[in-house]
Amino acid sequence: MESRASPELSGNVATVVIHTKVRDGREDDYRRWQEKVNDIARGFDGFEDTEMHPPVPGEENVWVIVYRFSNIDQLTAWLNSRSRQELLDEGRSLFDGPAKQEVLAGEAPARDVVTAVIPHEVRPGREQDFVGWQNKVRKAQEKFPGFMGFELFRPVSNIQEKWVAVVRFDTREHLDEWLESDARRRLVKEGRDYFSSYDVRKVSSAFSGWFRFGNETEEGTPPNWKQAMTVVLALYPTVMILNLTVGKIFGAAKIPGYIALFISNLLSVSILTWLLMPLVNRALSFWLLPSRADSITAQVTGTVVVVLCFLLFIAIFGVITS
């Protein structure tokens, strides 16, 4: 039976988060299959974006795919399409069990933080109690370091029967601190009266807003250590050049330090976001994109290139400033 959206949700941004456990040794086949799925999705009305999040080292081989459409009707058309069903049948041998998905109808979740997506099966007739309990959970979360936000998504008729809580923290460590806390354990025990089951799924990327590869976002998000190295690669020369140029102008004009620092930060972030990071991403895509950096040679080459650039910049600015 095809899924249909409830009318009151048809104007909202719609996101589906799909968790798929891939069979060991079939990761490359899965990447190629997922690229075919993404190519088909881009041809549907309302398609906005897709992201692939490979599994975290040391955890289960679960891949997270996120699709965003302009509204719930357009997302429903994609989810129920014959072309998608045919691709799912084609890729079934790659999966270790059925995929799990949550549909979030509303504003698109923030993408530059670590997110836990928590679907709940709420007991019939206890919906209002569940909402009140979630408010208590949110107040407890706010007291933990790194808390960035919380949203509760109601079920979407015939598509998403579960209530989905989405909580965001600034780092994976802070998110885990909350998930493993005694305060949360007590709240979960209390909430058992209102829901029969729940699950916790994590999506994370520390600098994802600066790492976009045009039509290549399905190829995955770079590991955090590569993101950090690449940001420093672009940030260091930017800050040094601004200090040597705009900084001297601010000094001569006797602009207060706190204002000068604010303007410098504004300029450096703008330069990184719209100029340098897209250039660096393209130049280092062979190393940044997980689907391309699939050999030791690519990993070592990219790392050596970035380190050599670090040393080169340090030498250049050392000469200039001396």
Side-chain angles (χ1 to χ4, degrees), residues 54 57 204-207 211 220-230 287-290 293 299:
S204 64
S205 177
F207 299 101
F211 289 83
T221 302
N224 285 347
W225 66 273
K226 289 185 180 180
Q227 296 183 31
M229 288 182 68
T230 309
W287 176 67
L288 287 170
L289 289 171
Q299 297 280 7

Side-chain angles (χ1 to χ4, degrees), residues 90-273:
E90 175 187 325
R92 206 169 300 281
S93 63
L94 305 174
F95 313 143
D96 187 2
K100 299 178 181 179
Q101 70 179 38
E102 286 76 45
V103 174
L104 313 179
E107 294 301 317
R111 305 197 304 193
D112 297 340
V113 293
V114 186
T115 303
V117 179
I118 310 174
H120 298 77
E121 291 189 8
V122 177
R123 299 184 189 278
R126 304 306 300 269
E127 290 82 2
Q128 291 304 314
D129 294 328
F130 175 77
V131 171
W133 173 77
Q134 283 287 1
N135 286 332
K136 292 178 63 176
V137 173
R138 175 182 55 79
K139 291 177 181 178
Q141 291 167 347
E142 291 172 349
K143 299 176 182 178
F144 277 71
F147 175 77
M148 299 288 288
F150 170 87
E151 293 173 88
L152 182 62
F153 294 87
R154 294 174 178 270
V156 181
S157 179
N158 296 324
I159 301 179
Q160 171 61 43
E161 301 303 327
K162 296 180 180 180
W163 291 67
V164 182
V166 177
V167 58
R168 296 184 286 274
F169 281 79
D170 59 350
T171 67
R172 190 179 186 87
E173 291 72 22
H174 283 153
L175 174 61
D176 288 340
E177 182 179 343
W178 157 248
L179 292 176
E180 298 168 5
S181 67
D182 291 336
R184 180 174 178 273
R185 289 193 191 94
R186 288 192 294 269
L187 284 165
V188 170
K189 184 177 181 180
E190 174 187 335
R192 291 289 185 183
D193 292 336
Y194 316 131
F195 62 86
S196 57
S197 66
Y198 76 96
D199 196 6
V200 179
R201 298 151 198 176
K202 302 174 187 176
V203 182
S204 64
S205 177
F207 299 101
S208 63
W210 275 339
F211 289 83
R212 294 285 179 264
F213 296 89
N215 289 333
E216 297 173 341
T217 54
E218 75 277 7
E219 297 192 67
T221 302
N224 285 347
W225 66 273
K226 289 185 180 180
Q227 296 183 31
M229 288 182 68
T230 309
V231 170
V232 172
L233 178 63
L235 181 62
Y236 174 65
T238 302
V239 172
M240 288 300 298
I241 291 172
L242 287 175
N243 285 341
L244 294 171
T245 56
V246 179
K248 291 185 176 181
I249 296 173
F250 290 159
K254 297 183 179 179
I255 296 177
Y258 61 92
I259 295 179
L261 181 61
F262 171 78
I263 297 175
S264 296
N265 287 339
L266 185 64
L267 289 172
S268 62
V269 170
S270 299
I271 292 170
L272 256 66
T273 301

Side-chain angles (χ1 to χ4, degrees), residues 65-100:
I65 310 298
V66 180
Y67 291 100
R68 295 184 183 85
F69 280 75
S70 298
N71 61 55
I72 196 69
D73 288 330
Q74 292 167 332
L75 175 61
T76 302
W78 154 241
L79 292 175
N80 290 330
S81 66
R82 175 174 294 182
S83 55
R84 178 173 180 266
Q85 295 305 316
E86 290 174 351
L87 285 169
L88 289 175
D89 292 338
E90 175 187 325
R92 206 169 300 281
S93 63
L94 305 174
F95 313 143
D96 187 2
K100 299 178 181 179

